[in-house]
Amino acid sequence: MSSDDLAKVEDSTPILIGSGQITDTTSKPTSARSPSAFMAEAARLALDDARAAKGAAALAATLDALVILPLFTDYSPRFSSPFGRSDNPPRSVANRIGATNVRDLYYAHVGGNMPQYMVNKFAEQITRGEIRAALVAGAELMRTNAIGRKEKMTLDWNESPGGQPLRIGDDRLGYSPEEERHRLNAAIYFYPLIENAIRGAAGRSLPDHMLSMGRLFAGFAKVAKANPLATRREGYSAEQIATVDAENRYIAFPYPRLMNSNALVDQAASVVMTSVGQAKALGIPRDRWVFLHGCADGSDTWVTSERTALHRSAAIRGCATRSLAMAGKTVAQMDLFDLYSCFPSAVEIGCREIGLAEDDPRGLTVTGGLPFFGGPGNNYVTHSIAEMTSRLRARPGAFGMVTANGNYVTKHSAGIYSTTPTQGTWTREDPKKFQAELDALPTVHVEAAPQGTAKIETYTVTFNGTTPHFAVVFGRLENGNRFVANTPDDPTLLQDMISKDQLGRSGTLSSDGKRNIFTPS
């Protein structure tokens, strides 16, 4: 950055100045390394990374806002921990890093979009002079949690630092009562449903589509192989990813294990933001500065079964369009990408809506993605942003796009980053305007008590270990309305649904008193 460029940058301009990441695949569980302590480790790395002339302690003292991404163990019964928790995680982290002046302590609601969402929010607050600096942090200790449970260890992660955190984000459940009563209440079930809808729209056979997904994720595995922070560094081939076997069993059809986010990880990440003026005052070197050139947030039709097209996302398309327009750039001018990648369907839809080929030579990830880098819950995108920050510092003048996704291709955020300075006063469009456009889009009526004949629109078969467990079907009635149903729990039928394409298959609807039952003809 030349002195002339620097002179043109307004002091109110928001910038990222520090990032820190930790991946631990070997440490033994201890009481000392609680989730709060682990997050604080990453936060200290981010503060140190800014290289403030006045020191990390001086930078920590300028933090007016701090957000912690929610832990799996705090909200998911499936991942509950017997080792206790902090009743105010942001305060626990703030205390550890010496952030004694923090005014706004946030504990975010659930959503993989929330790291980018908070960077966008903090950027607005910084440019308006409402806060001097902010820190985003999160972690998961799922590997540690699993080991501790298995070995029946006694760990104490309880903390009561006082006060209650502010909650931020959308706290609505990601699924409807109608979906939940058909046992549809988790990402590992929703994304396979979306995937088969994508396959149907593409007109592919099951074998062809499996290999297509394998090729897509082989690109992510290749990046993870070269990333020392990745948890799966084997560099799996397309065939390995697409082949179902004892090591790569189905989780929910059509996704085997290597097409699922890897949640059993110990990973932590943090990023620090401030203004250009504050960075100057703290003596933060200019080679640490990364500018947020464009950003956007928006949510698709909230209830998945009410979406008109299960293989599309108006919110992803709009977030990409708006963030690029704000940056004054095009997709062709991006040098780096990190597309949210919990499952192949998230990437496939992202590519389609952004306008990227799935084999774009620039690559689709800087980390290796959630299945191979690691999927630390709601905090993955903090790693995306931290890694993008490092990559852009190494390539001055390059531009990178980060996308984020919460729930089931539902909540979306995007950010455009570069070491190149922004021009003029940093400002963004009110996200409420875009959300109003999204909320006005048409939806599909879902019948709660469908009857008669109907056809399968998309489906999945879930697994209990290696055994098919139950199937979920989205279908269309003759009147065009949609329904949600299970099939009879018949092992022969479930196996047939895995081995043969069911899209468009006819059947009849009934009720067992609890759920709609679709019986294929």
Side-chain angles (χ1 to χ4, degrees):
M1 187 187 301
S2 70
S3 58
D4 287 342
D5 288 335
L6 180 60
K8 297 175 184 177
V9 180
E10 297 185 11
D11 280 352
S12 62
T13 304
I15 51 175
L16 278 73
I17 54 170
S19 65
Q21 300 185 74
I22 305 169
T23 295
D24 188 345
T25 60
T26 59
S27 293
K28 300 273 188 190
T30 66
S31 293
R33 185 184 252 184
S34 66
S36 295
F38 197 31
M39 287 184 271
E41 287 181 50
R44 283 191 288 268
L45 288 176
L47 292 166
D48 289 340
D49 181 62
R51 299 180 187 172
K54 295 186 178 181
L59 175 55
T62 68
L63 293 173
D64 293 318
L66 184 154
V67 65
I68 296 301
L69 282 303
L71 293 148
F72 271 140
T73 50
D74 278 359
Y75 67 87
S76 173
R78 179 184 172 205
F79 296 118
S80 63
S81 172
F83 308 124
R85 62 181 297 273
S86 169
D87 54 24
N88 190 343
R91 173 57 69 192
S92 290
V93 173
N95 289 347
R96 282 177 167 85
I97 64 173
T100 55
N101 297 318
V102 174
R103 180 188 71 237
D104 299 327
L105 290 164
Y106 295 104
Y107 192 42
H109 286 300
V110 172
N113 63 308
M114 290 305 294
Q116 184 64 53
Y117 176 94
M118 292 306 303
V119 166
N120 299 349
K121 178 180 175 63
F122 286 151
E124 285 188 286
Q125 292 181 315
I126 287 168
T127 199
R128 290 197 297 254
E130 296 170 0
I131 58 175
R132 294 170 296 170
L135 183 142
V136 179
E140 288 293 349
L141 281 170
M142 296 298 293
R143 181 190 72 92
T144 285
N145 195 43
I147 293 171
R149 279 178 169 278
K150 182 178 180 180
E151 297 184 6
K152 298 181 179 179
M153 300 177 73
T154 301
L155 305 176
D156 185 3
W157 292 343
N158 285 301
E159 292 184 36
S160 295
Q164 292 293 320
L166 301 168
R167 301 307 304 272
I168 192 166
D170 198 320
D171 64 351
R172 289 179 290 173
L173 286 175
Y175 45 84
S176 70
E178 180 68 4
E179 291 167 342
E180 185 179 26
R181 81 181 178 103
H182 292 95
R183 296 181 276 188
L184 189 56
N185 59 3
I188 57 172
Y189 304 150
F190 274 98
Y191 282 92
L193 274 167
I194 293 169
E195 187 64 62
N196 274 321
I198 292 170
R199 178 173 62 80
R204 291 197 192 106
S205 68
L206 283 171
D208 286 349
H209 194 66
M210 287 294 287
L211 191 55
S212 175
M213 292 188 293
R215 286 194 294 265
L216 174 66
F217 265 18
F220 285 74
K222 182 178 180 180
V223 173
K225 184 177 181 179
N227 185 352
L229 289 170
T231 58
R232 287 176 175 163
R233 302 188 62 198
E234 292 84 350
Y236 298 98
S237 68
E239 290 75 16
Q240 286 175 305
I241 294 168
T243 299
V244 179
D245 55 27
E247 295 298 316
N248 193 32
R249 66 176 181 82
Y250 278 126
I251 303 299
F253 175 83
Y255 290 154
R257 184 176 65 94
L258 291 176
M259 293 184 189
N260 284 254
S261 174
N262 179 21
L264 290 175
V265 297
D266 286 359
Q267 291 182 306
S270 178
V271 294
V272 183
M273 304 175 65
T274 192
S275 67
V276 164
Q278 192 69 42
K280 292 176 184 176
L282 289 164
I284 295 170
R286 284 173 286 175
D287 66 3
R288 301 286 89 192
W289 301 7
V290 173
F291 294 81
L292 179 64
H293 280 253
C295 61
D297 304 285
S299 295
D300 277 305
T301 298
W302 196 265
V303 177
T304 305
S305 57
E306 294 178 0
R307 295 175 191 164
T308 56
L310 298 169
H311 64 293
R312 301 298 303 268
S313 169
I316 293 178
R317 183 170 65 254
C319 281
T321 300
R322 280 166 166 77
S323 59
L324 287 166
M326 180 179 169
K329 296 292 179 180
T330 65
V331 173
Q333 292 173 302
M334 295 295 103
D335 300 286
L336 299 165
F337 297 91
D338 200 78
L339 270 59
Y340 199 83
S341 54
C342 50
F343 302 89
S345 51
V347 182
E348 291 157 348
I349 294 175
C351 284
R352 176 168 184 164
E353 302 299 358
I354 294 168
L356 284 170
E358 292 181 12
D359 60 352
D360 191 293
R362 292 169 290 183
L364 304 176
T365 180
V366 293
T367 67
L370 285 90
F372 308 105
F373 169 79
N378 301 281
N379 197 51
Y380 167 77
V381 172
T382 310
H383 288 272
S384 297
I385 298 167
E387 187 65 28
M388 187 65 76
T389 297
S390 297
R391 297 290 190 95
L392 292 172
R393 286 171 174 166
R395 293 179 61 179
F399 278 78
M401 172 186 275
V402 170
T403 69
N405 168 1
N407 290 2
Y408 319 120
V409 194
T410 309
K411 301 185 285 187
H412 304 281
S413 296
I416 309 295
Y417 297 90
S418 179
T419 59
T420 299
T422 55
Q423 298 180 357
T425 302
W426 193 95
T427 185
R428 70 177 294 201
E429 176 187 88
D430 185 345
K432 292 179 182 177
K433 179 181 178 182
F434 179 38
Q435 191 58 54
E437 295 175 17
L438 293 169
D439 291 342
L441 293 175
T443 60
V444 175
H445 177 67
V446 178
E447 292 196 12
Q451 295 181 347
T453 60
K455 290 185 177 180
I456 294 176
E457 186 177 11
T458 190
Y459 63 101
T460 186
V461 177
T462 72
F463 278 71
N464 183 5
T466 59
T467 304
H469 188 206
F470 64 88
V472 182
V473 169
F474 283 4
R476 294 281 186 151
L477 297 154
E478 292 180 349
N479 62 7
N481 290 340
R482 186 176 281 142
F483 67 87
V484 181
N486 296 125
T487 65
D489 290 336
D490 174 6
T492 302
L493 172 60
L494 295 178
Q495 188 59 51
D496 186 60
M497 294 181 74
I498 297 162
S499 58
K500 298 177 184 176
D501 190 1
Q502 304 296 308
L503 296 177
R505 187 173 181 179
S506 297
T508 57
L509 286 157
S510 60
S511 174
D512 67 359
K514 293 182 179 180
R515 305 178 182 93
N516 300 323
I517 302 297
F518 178 85
T519 304
S521 300

